[in-house]
Amino acid sequence: MSPRVSGLGSGLRETYAWGSYFTYPPLHLILLGVLALPAIAVGAMHGLEGLRAAPYMTWFEVTSRLVTFAMALGVLANVSRATSRIWDERAGGVAALAIACNPVFVYYAHTGNLEVPALFWATWAMDELVRVELGEARELHAMLLATAAALTKDQAIAMLAIPIAIVIVRRRAWRAIAIAAAAYLIVGGAVVNPVGWVRRVAFLLGPASGEWTPYPPGAIGIAELGRDAALRVVSYGGVLVFVAACVGVVRSRRWLFLSSAVSFTLFFTLAARRSEERFLLPQAVMLAPYVGFALHKRWTIALAFAWPVIESARMDATLAADARNAAHRYLQALPRGTSVETYGFSDAYAVARGDPEVIMMSSRFAEQYARGPTQMDARWASDPMAPYFNGLARDEDPTFHRTERFRCVLPLGVPCRRIHDSTAHEIWVFRRAK
């Protein structure tokens, strides 16, 4: 979710205006909008275009990322606290370490995406569900936090469906369920904008994921998805951490967090047929408590986390050395008024297609038009702009020539870590031939 959208309020307007809808739920939009009010108040004096100026956009972007970082710390605290309630403080600390050393989590903790905010509310809800399991009357607290997670990102519903059925529905806490449902419908826009809300649900259940899945339907697709998902989850924290999680699941006999991982797998991963890093992050987070349970001795902790520490450090180093940083510096150095088009890199500098002086393209964007005939690539290949982009990528376009090639380079030849089709790709600059 772009903080420029949340900062300017168009997402909230689309959520509550009759008949319209926004792609994402409104809770995080509301939070960022409140934090953006000082910048909006000052920038609004210069009109809407004034709000698009660099200082205000910077405020929105920095605020969004700081909120994500704070919520990432909250995820660690939530999981550590819940794990400590079940077992002990050492298990809680190791569980938090398992998440903190997960390179995918490290990546999303640096962004304005909704993955970490949704996990923040969901893990807090899980902590409350643990308290309910232990005999405390916290059903309403758990349901309201689960509602906050769902109002941040819809996929959180898949993450919490089975845990809520196990803990809340089994206890027949109908009052808590009713209050949470009412809060969801009111804040989510269903009450003031039922038409738009229904359209949004139809979008989520239809084209939101269906057009993007790289896996075919049926048993073959599920098998391919299962293979890729298993390999990626193992790679997040390393083989030893994954083995520790499996041992913890078997030996602990406390399976509430496992039920969350299973719930998300059934109701989102398999249903949407998606295996990108961010769509497997919930499972990795919900398995962390079992790592804490399984690893008690210092030497086992040191051995298991040696590789995850290296990988999370490589992720941080990749973010610092990524080609996008050099590309942004290049764009900032261009003379004022230079017309720029960007593809697969950033929309901050994009202008209407027509007569640009500079074109900037990521190598990942170019690959979409050049790779083999998978389902996703076939759609890109049918794009009428494909020959144009292929010509640019091969530096064969008669109008533009490649003048710069920015790369991510780490010391000692360490490869940069690719994630979310975003990091570690090259950025190419094309200038109009004179």
Side-chain angles (χ1 to χ4, degrees), residues 71-92:
M71 287 184 163
L73 297 178
V75 170
L76 303 183
N78 293 338
V79 173
S80 176
R81 190 169 57 246
T83 306
S84 299
R85 293 187 203 281
I86 301 173
W87 294 299
D88 53 44
E89 291 187 2
R90 171 168 285 189

Side-chain angles (χ1 to χ4, degrees), residues 36 40 47 112 131 147 187 192 204 216 225 242 308 313 324 350 356 380 428:
I40 293 174
R131 296 179 70 174
T147 301
V187 178
V192 298
L204 293 175
L225 169 61
F242 182 75
R324 293 174 298 176
W380 295 113
W428 303 332

Side-chain angles (χ1 to χ4, degrees), residues 179-233:
I179 293 174
Y184 177 81
L185 294 174
I186 293 171
V187 178
V191 173
V192 298
N193 179 23
V195 174
W197 188 82
V198 170
R199 288 175 178 172
R200 180 174 176 276
V201 172
F203 169 75
L204 293 175
L205 297 178
S209 290
E211 293 182 358
W212 293 96
T213 176
Y215 300 99
I220 294 177
I222 291 176
E224 293 178 357
L225 169 61
R227 176 201 62 205
D228 293 345
L231 291 174
R232 285 173 182 164
V233 169

